[in-house]
Amino acid sequence: MTSPILNRRTLLGGLLGVTALGLTGCAGDDAASASLSAADPLPTTVDPATELIISIHTSQVGLTASGEIGKIPFKVKDWPNISAGPDVIQGFRAKAIDLANNAGIPPIQAAAINVDAKIVAVQTVHKPQYTFVTAPGNPVKDITDLRGKKIAFSQGQAQGLVVLRTLKEQGLTPKDVQLIALPSTKFLVALQSKQVDMAPLYEPAITKYLAEYGKDGAIQFPMTAVDYLGVLWAPGEVLADSAKVAAIRSFIPIWANDQVWRWENPDKWLDAYYVKDQQVSEADAKRIGTTLQQPFFPKSWDKAVAWEKESADLLVEGGFIKQIDPEKLFDRRFEGIASAAVPAKYQE
């Protein structure tokens, strides 16, 4: 069976309706700030009156739990809970987000549709974060039983990349399965309604879904595909604003050390985020805690660039995007800031 048509129009169509998220152009309020070119050195003096809209809900929760949120040296105008890559790109285009945290795929998608944005910090993980989950009735036996199956697929997100990497590992191409184009926010509904046979999920969605549908035969099975990169990234217009760039530079060490705090204080993090914010039980939060991974922050971004190239090549081979230059996804002026801010055991 053939896949539905998935190409750049699929994503672009979803990005045109920016008002669907209620996003308005408010991120560029301090237009009087001095302009900055990509060749200029990073400013180091932070104006405490500078405002940023930071779409990183987990950082808001973590920094609040650790008591570090009051040490941010500028004003956070808002912490919108927008995390899906296509939605973040909408926010960038609507000038409603200044800084976001995503996997490595959304910057590739943004570049493919000519949305100017750059990566300013890099975090890596070394083990799979996603798990395949089946629809009720268990229509997929295991990871070797993918041919012809309907798989939820979001090409602009990490969930799409791990599907493509898994197909390649199994000796399959996108034409050997049915890729059902959906944003990841619709994966659970698609599973429940059996619109798809399987979807890649991560915690706490796995726990919530299986708690309700495990009794109906839904199962999970592991994958080996790793979503290697987590990045901070910002729109080009924001990175041309010297005051906002100084604020972003000051936030990167705070963001990196928040990842370290979560790893070193798992009980506090699990309680703050999974139990209180995501409303899972304490027992489930404890089990989720066993899946958490130590964060690493590379001194050099060369491996990250190579990873982005490999990922982009998979999307190009599948006919999903045009060719891009992965080096242009990164603003190397920020390279090493996150790594220098954390203890040596978190550097790589």
Side-chain angles (χ1 to χ4, degrees):
M1 302 180 74
T2 59
S3 304
I5 295 174
L6 293 170
N7 51 37
R8 284 193 288 147
R9 292 183 182 178
T10 304
L11 181 73
L12 185 56
L15 295 179
L16 294 177
V18 293
T19 56
L21 290 175
L23 299 175
T24 57
C26 55
D29 287 346
D30 26 345
S33 178
S35 62
L36 197 70
S37 77
D40 291 331
L42 296 179
T44 57
T45 302
V46 180
D47 182 349
T50 300
E51 295 183 341
L52 289 185
I53 297 177
I54 301 177
S55 189
I56 313 175
H57 180 63
T58 50
S59 289
Q60 181 187 20
V61 174
L63 292 170
T64 299
S66 67
E68 296 293 305
I69 199 163
K71 297 181 180 179
I72 297 175
F74 54 86
K75 295 180 181 179
V76 179
K77 186 174 183 179
D78 193 14
W79 296 89
N81 191 4
I82 300 171
S83 58
D87 294 342
V88 168
I89 294 173
Q90 287 189 29
F92 284 173
R93 294 176 69 147
K95 301 182 181 181
I97 297 174
D98 292 315
L99 186 67
N101 182 196
N102 288 97
I105 287 297
I108 292 173
Q109 282 290 168
I113 58 172
N114 301 315
V115 173
D116 181 21
K118 301 288 186 183
I119 293 168
V120 298
V122 171
Q123 176 189 347
T124 64
V125 296
H126 300 160
K127 299 176 183 178
Q129 300 181 80
Y130 291 89
T131 294
F132 281 120
V133 177
T134 71
N138 186 22
V140 187
K141 292 182 296 184
D142 56 39
I143 203 167
T144 66
D145 183 33
L146 303 184
R147 187 178 295 273
K149 297 301 190 291
K150 295 180 290 184
I151 305 175
F153 180 75
S154 178
Q155 73 177 57
Q157 298 183 256
Q159 290 91 331
L161 174 64
V162 295
V163 167
L164 294 180
R165 287 185 178 274
T166 298
L167 292 178
K168 187 173 183 179
E169 290 171 358
Q170 296 301 314
L172 301 173
T173 72
K175 293 182 179 180
D176 295 318
V177 299
Q178 299 179 71
L179 297 179
I180 307 301
L182 295 166
S184 64
T185 52
K186 302 295 184 183
F187 282 9
L188 288 177
V189 172
L191 285 166
Q192 294 161 9
S193 64
K194 300 185 180 181
Q195 179 185 356
V196 299
D197 296 322
M198 58 186 288
L201 299 182
Y202 62 96
E203 295 291 6
I206 298 168
T207 292
K208 293 180 178 180
Y209 175 73
L210 291 178
E212 186 168 355
Y213 292 95
K215 64 182 182 297
D216 298 320
I219 65 168
Q220 63 173 313
F221 50 86
M223 67 171 71
T224 57
V226 176
D227 178 32
Y228 175 67
L229 287 186
V231 304
L232 291 188
W233 61 316
E237 184 174 348
V238 170
L239 295 176
D241 182 314
S242 61
K244 290 190 174 184
V245 168
I248 288 171
R249 179 177 181 167
S250 74
F251 183 75
I252 290 171
I254 295 171
W255 166 77
N257 280 290
D258 177 51
Q259 317 300 310
V260 171
W261 178 86
R262 299 178 204 178
W263 177 250
E264 295 183 347
N265 298 272
D267 291 342
K268 292 179 180 179
W269 170 240
L270 293 171
D271 179 65
Y273 183 65
Y274 290 100
V275 176
K276 293 177 180 175
D277 189 79
Q278 296 294 304
Q279 300 294 302
V280 304
S281 70
E282 291 185 5
D284 282 336
K286 186 174 182 179
R287 182 185 54 76
I288 291 170
T290 64
T291 69
L292 299 181
Q293 298 187 47
Q294 178 176 335
F296 293 95
F297 302 90
K299 298 177 182 178
S300 167
W301 288 354
D302 289 350
K303 189 174 179 179
V305 173
W307 180 267
E308 289 290 77
K309 182 181 186 306
E310 183 180 323
S311 300
D313 287 347
L314 277 175
L315 290 167
V316 172
E317 290 168 10
F320 302 117
I321 66 168
K322 67 180 183 180
Q323 193 74 48
I324 66 157
D325 181 353
E327 181 65 48
K328 293 182 179 179
L329 301 177
F330 295 80
D331 188 334
R332 292 267 195 171
R333 295 176 299 172
F334 293 89
E335 187 173 18
I337 293 177
S339 179
V342 298
K345 67 179 180 179
Y346 297 101
Q347 301 173 356
E348 66 174 15

